[in-house]
Amino acid sequence: KASLSESDIEYLRPLDDFLDENGQIVLPEDLADLTGTGTRRNAGLNAAVTWGENAPVGFGLSAGYNALSYSNTTSPGLIDSRRKSLGASMRLDLSQVTRVTVNLKFSRFDDDVPRSKSRDTLSLETGLSHDLPTGTLNGSLSAAKTEDGTRLGFSIGRTFDLPNGSLTTNMGLTRAASGGTSLTGSLGYKHELENGQISAQLRRGVQAGGDDTDRLTTALSLGYSQGLSQAS
């Protein structure tokens, strides 16, 4: 998958900057520094391969490259940067309703700050999910070794199947590389219409900022989609 977008910094970001392919909120790394005027360009290239999707054990490999560049800017915090990543995953079905996942990822961050060194991050996340008659129960443990220290995370969540949609809840704790502990979580709701969908999501979590350091972010997303025809 390849992507390229260019936008004026002084205007609102495109919606694709805030939602991933699963509709989950993922804020841009440079969001806190997007002030003033100028032009922002975001280029990305991602590839993934999986096998064993219908088998009791499945595996996956992924690779990605993302580059942020700016021109004619007035904010000194906007620095060109690049991130490369490699990942491997495994899924193990313990039963027809219970599965374990393991994800290992390595990323390298570089920017154009003079005499700045590359920043490497190695992360490991394990997850357990169990299907229930009315939804899914899931939990995860994660650890990430960064240049600033080790970030640890724990979360537990529940998805409820509703007559015309779903309700998803998640709560957890994250210990940042700096040593502080933060309460994290998310709440999501989807309601299916006759020919569309209404959705809402509130998320609070820790993610890398534009300088590759941990930042606690809170985001709210509201969505509405409407089918106009079979093709649009």
Side-chain angles (χ1 to χ4, degrees), residues 1 13-32 34 40 42 46 66 68 83 105 185-186 201-209 215-222:
K1 177 183 177 181
R13 306 267 62 75
L15 181 62
D16 290 343
D17 275 6
F18 298 91
L19 300 176
D20 63 13
E21 61 274 9
N22 298 317
Q24 300 299 310
I25 300 175
V26 180
L27 298 179
E29 293 183 357
D30 60 344
L31 181 64
L34 289 175
R40 174 185 186 265
N42 185 14
N46 297 276
N66 183 262
L68 284 172
R83 187 184 295 276
K105 184 178 181 180
S186 64
Q201 184 184 166
L202 176 65
R203 178 185 177 274
R204 177 181 171 89
V206 176
Q207 69 177 65
R215 291 183 180 178
L216 181 64
T217 61
T218 302
L220 172 66
S221 169
L222 302 175

Side-chain angles (χ1 to χ4, degrees), residues 79-80 82 109-119 211:
I79 307 297
D80 293 358
R82 296 152 299 280
F109 176 87
D110 295 282
D111 59 29
D112 290 349
V113 175
R115 296 183 296 277
S116 175
K117 296 182 179 180
S118 299
R119 294 174 58 88
D211 54 358

Side-chain angles (χ1 to χ4, degrees), residues 25-129:
I25 300 175
V26 180
L27 298 179
E29 293 183 357
D30 60 344
L31 181 64
D33 300 314
L34 289 175
T35 59
T37 60
T39 301
R40 174 185 186 265
R41 175 174 291 183
N42 185 14
L45 182 63
N46 297 276
V49 59
T50 60
W51 60 93
E53 294 185 3
N54 298 320
V57 181
F59 300 91
L61 294 173
S62 63
Y65 175 81
N66 183 262
L68 284 172
S69 60
Y70 311 92
S71 59
N72 303 318
T73 59
T74 57
S75 172
L78 296 174
I79 307 297
D80 293 358
S81 63
R82 296 152 299 280
R83 187 184 295 276
K84 310 178 189 71
S85 63
L86 294 173
S89 62
M90 183 188 74
R91 187 205 77 255
L92 173 63
D93 293 342
L94 301 180
S95 68
Q96 292 184 345
V97 296
T98 306
R99 65 196 64 85
V100 175
T101 57
V102 179
N103 293 281
L104 180 66
K105 184 178 181 180
F106 170 82
S107 70
R108 171 164 291 177
F109 176 87
D110 295 282
D111 59 29
D112 290 349
V113 175
R115 296 183 296 277
S116 175
K117 296 182 179 180
S118 299
R119 294 174 58 88
D120 296 339
T121 300
L122 180 64
S123 60
L124 175 67
E125 181 177 7
T126 61
L128 176 67
S129 63

